[in-house]
Amino acid sequence: MKILIVEDERAIAEVEKAYMEKNGYTADIAGDGLKGLEMFAAENYDLVILDLMLPGMSGVDVCRAIRMKSQVPIIMVTARSGEDDVVSGLDAGASDYVIKPFSPRVLMARVRANTRKEADSSDPQIIRVGNSLTVDTKNFTVTKNGEEIAFTRNEFMIFSKMAAKPEKIWSRDDIITHALGYEYDGFERSIDSYIKNIRKKLACPEHENGYIKTVHGFGYKVSEQ
Ligand code: CA
């Protein structure tokens, strides 16, 4: 497992790298966003640890650029505890986040959880919803009438889990626990914003709700209707 650390504070980057290596991972350091993108394009990394506050290109922009070509897990590191920063990072496609100062053990737990989610193969590879939607859980793609729809990683994790059990009602807590992993301590309102984005991407005249029904007072379910 090879990890890319994008972090401008050298001392922090070195601590992260040492900890990853102690736990059996290989890690490289990029001191800014552009360097990070350059290294990401040149090598095959299994996970990216990405500082939000970078000189020049911001962490959110780096995240977005990586997401345009890869579904690799991205753990955002933020010095701020503002809900908005976390939400914009997750919206840009980050898989998870830790808030500085964090203990290396917490970061390590997030790295393990996010690499484990990638390797989880207990679900079927191809899930069909109605006649027009196909979810491929190995290649992380959603296709509608044969056309691929671009999902962020978390949108994909949520929709694929829900689609695997059609008609099951998912509370926001269920979604956090089963689709995003129990280590995720995001906010319930980000679940609503994920659902909103998924609906927007899948909506069509026959399925105005994008195949996701709201069950008032309970949560959401995927439905062919
Ligand atoms: Ca920084």
Side-chain angles (χ1 to χ4, degrees), residues 165-195:
K165 292 187 176 146
E167 303 298 332
K168 172 184 155 61
I169 298 167
W170 297 73
S171 68
R172 291 172 184 78
D173 258 3
D174 288 340
I175 293 174
I176 290 172
T177 309
H178 298 287
L180 300 180
Y182 63 91
E183 290 88 353
Y184 177 88
D185 53 1
F187 308 90
E188 290 205 340
R189 98 169 152 99
S190 45
I191 297 299
D192 291 339
S193 101
Y194 286 132
I195 296 286

Side-chain angles (χ1 to χ4, degrees), residues 67-184:
R67 270 296 166 263
M68 286 172 76
K69 48 191 162 190
S70 168
Q71 290 299 314
V72 70
I74 301 174
I75 300 177
M76 300 265 289
V77 177
T78 166
R80 294 178 288 179
S81 53
E83 203 172 307
D84 287 344
D85 294 325
V86 171
V87 170
S88 58
L90 293 172
D91 280 347
S95 323
D96 206 344
Y97 65 93
V98 291
I99 290 170
K100 279 185 193 171
F102 53 84
S103 80
R105 282 183 61 216
V106 167
L107 180 63
M108 204 55 236
R110 296 294 168 92
V111 167
R112 270 197 303 269
N114 281 278
T115 46
R116 200 164 48 220
K117 271 189 266 171
E118 285 305 295
D120 189 350
S121 59
S122 59
D123 289 331
Q125 180 174 348
I126 302 287
I127 302 163
R128 285 177 212 286
V129 183
N131 298 323
S132 48
L133 262 193
T134 308
V135 180
D136 182 333
T137 61
K138 293 285 184 299
N139 296 310
F140 302 101
T141 54
V142 177
T143 43
K144 191 177 161 192
N145 296 322
E147 201 177 307
E148 191 174 329
I149 314 274
F151 270 36
T152 67
R153 184 173 183 281
N154 283 358
E155 287 163 10
F156 183 84
M157 297 305 289
I158 291 170
F159 190 73
S160 61
K161 282 284 174 199
M162 290 175 72
K165 292 187 176 146
E167 303 298 332
K168 172 184 155 61
I169 298 167
W170 297 73
S171 68
R172 291 172 184 78
D173 258 3
D174 288 340
I175 293 174
I176 290 172
T177 309
H178 298 287
L180 300 180
Y182 63 91
E183 290 88 353
Y184 177 88

Side-chain angles (χ1 to χ4, degrees), residues 194-212:
Y194 286 132
I195 296 286
K196 197 177 84 189
N197 289 343
I198 294 168
R199 280 177 162 160
K200 211 184 293 171
K201 290 176 181 181
L202 297 180
C204 58
E206 307 82 63
H207 300 278
E208 283 179 3
N209 283 329
Y211 300 84
I212 298 175

Side-chain angles (χ1 to χ4, degrees), residues 17-65:
K17 180 176 159 75
Y19 217 80
M20 294 304 134
E21 287 173 349
K22 205 176 111 190
N23 283 273
Y25 294 85
T26 317
D28 293 334
I29 297 171
D32 63 57
L34 281 179
K35 181 79 191 154
L37 288 179
E38 203 181 289
M39 288 170 73
F40 186 80
E43 282 270 358
N44 275 324
Y45 289 101
D46 300 295
L47 184 138
V48 178
I49 298 172
L50 176 62
D51 186 26
L52 189 73
M53 297 293 284
L54 292 168
M57 192 178 192
S58 79
V60 170
D61 288 341
V62 173
C63 186
R64 225 172 258 134

